Amino acid sequence: MAVPILKQGEFLIASIQAALSDHDLVDLRDELAGRIGRFRARGVVIDVTALDVLDSFGTRTLRGIAHTARLRGAKCVVVGIQPEVAFAMVQLGLSLDGVPTALDLEEGLFLLGARGGDGASAV
Amino acid sequence: MHSVDPSPIQHLMREMGIDEASVEYRKRIVGIEARDLERIGAVRELVVQNAERLTSSFFDYLAGLEEGRALSGDRVVLARARELKREHLVAMVQGNYGLEYARQRLELALLYNRVGLDLRVFLAAFHHLLERAGEILTRHSGLAPLEGFETFMSLKKVAFFDIGLIVDAIVFERERLIRQQQSAIRELSTPVLQIRDRMLLLPIIGVIDTARARLVTESLLRAIRDNRAKVVVMDITGVATIDSRVANHLIQTVTAARLMGASVIVTGLSAEVAQSLVALGIDLTKLNTVGDLQGGIEEAERSLGYQVLQRERPAIARGE
């Protein structure tokens, strides 16, 4: 299932709606990398609110997307990690080191936006 | 899964994990073998005949001791205990020491526990009973001395099997209070408090083990979502010692909070704790630490853009 990528001003919003296969995630990475250049996006928000599990491949791919985005000149924020998912991730030793995270879409946009960078989340 | 209204003994057995296998294991520990069953079978009649006398010897001995009054003082309980003890003695020589036998022993143990029978006294009285039993065996069984001794030892194995069960059950019951208090402490000591808009305070007091760390982390993550928190001040002044495991738990909690978009400020690492962490080589550089709770709260306020102003010096501060 493809992930819709919305353009909102100079930001791109990828809202993951359902559990993704590894293949979908790779598609998302490629699609985002292309669109950042095409739309000259300054930031990317990946919303994972709907996900109830994030495995090692998902985590690694998200990290990859964030690093790719940065290389293309856009800051990437992962938003909406649920408490259960966060807990499972630390239990499994999965981390999103170097990837900013925020509570939800609003916070994510805020983090990228006017105050860009001094939000709550550690980078 | 669970029956609706299990008797207290069934419940206790489930809690203690006493089943067919564990009873067999207990029998193996004390070394009850087929030979023992044969020897006991040979004196079955004799013991059954003397069951009443032996029961009396046990309770008379108890009554003679100050600590034994707890049992002998209550007529109803005493009558029931005597009845159970007599059944016990009869069952002891039937050679069938299965789950039902264990259940009967636990029933008696619960009774002893209810009246707060002193364990020392119970053991003394039980020994006294065995002494009487040995006497009866040597005098009236008509066995040769060596055979008599062996038979007595076989009986003693069963007695120790019984003692194991009874003592375990009494200790288990007494520790129940400790377990209840532990869980109460756990429940009570993981509050997550909102002290400013989007700012939480998480004071941790006491021992952090894996189960508790999990509880703390879960309630913190839920609170972050519900309060839309951006900053959490985690105060560990009340944590006496931190080893690598506890440190690991703390790091996990902080990492999980960060995944949800909240940053964590850890406060209250005492000088001793800081030194021991360094000595142990535990790397806490991932954590944002501030000396004390006040400093942590101030830091959190700054990061959220709060500025606290004191309007005028109140009377208290002027010392009036």
Side-chain angles (χ1 to χ4, degrees), chain A residues 5 16 22 28 32 63 83 85-86 89 92 107-108 111 118-119:
Chain A
I5 299 173
I16 297 174
D22 292 355
L28 174 64
L32 269 175
R63 257 200 327 253
V85 178
M89 282 173 71
L92 295 171
E107 286 297 314
L111 193 70
D118 72 341

Side-chain angles (χ1 to χ4, degrees), chain B residues 21-85:
Chain B
S22 79
V23 169
E24 282 307 311
Y25 183 62
R26 282 169 181 273
K27 267 154 70 174
R28 242 196 352 265
I29 290 177
V30 291
I32 298 176
E33 294 165 10
R35 263 186 319 176
D36 297 310
L37 301 186
E38 275 170 36
R39 290 192 197 117
I40 290 170
V43 294
R44 186 176 298 145
E45 280 310 308
L46 185 65
V47 173
V48 171
Q49 277 164 19
N50 286 285
E52 186 59 46
R53 252 174 82 193
L54 289 169
T55 306
S56 295
S57 82
F58 179 82
F59 287 99
D60 292 346
Y61 192 84
L62 272 185
L65 289 165
E66 185 61 40
E67 292 87 347
R69 302 273 153 77
L71 186 62
S72 54
D74 190 328
R75 262 162 205 271
V76 182
V77 175
L78 183 64
R80 179 71 185 141
R82 284 190 82 112
E83 192 185 327
L84 286 171
K85 194 76 200 170

Side-chain angles (χ1 to χ4, degrees), chain B residues 282-299:
Chain B
I282 297 164
D283 183 18
L284 286 186
T285 48
K286 272 185 168 180
L287 303 187
N288 180 8
T289 50
V290 174
D292 57 7
L293 181 59
Q294 183 187 341
I297 292 174
E298 284 166 1
E299 170 83 26

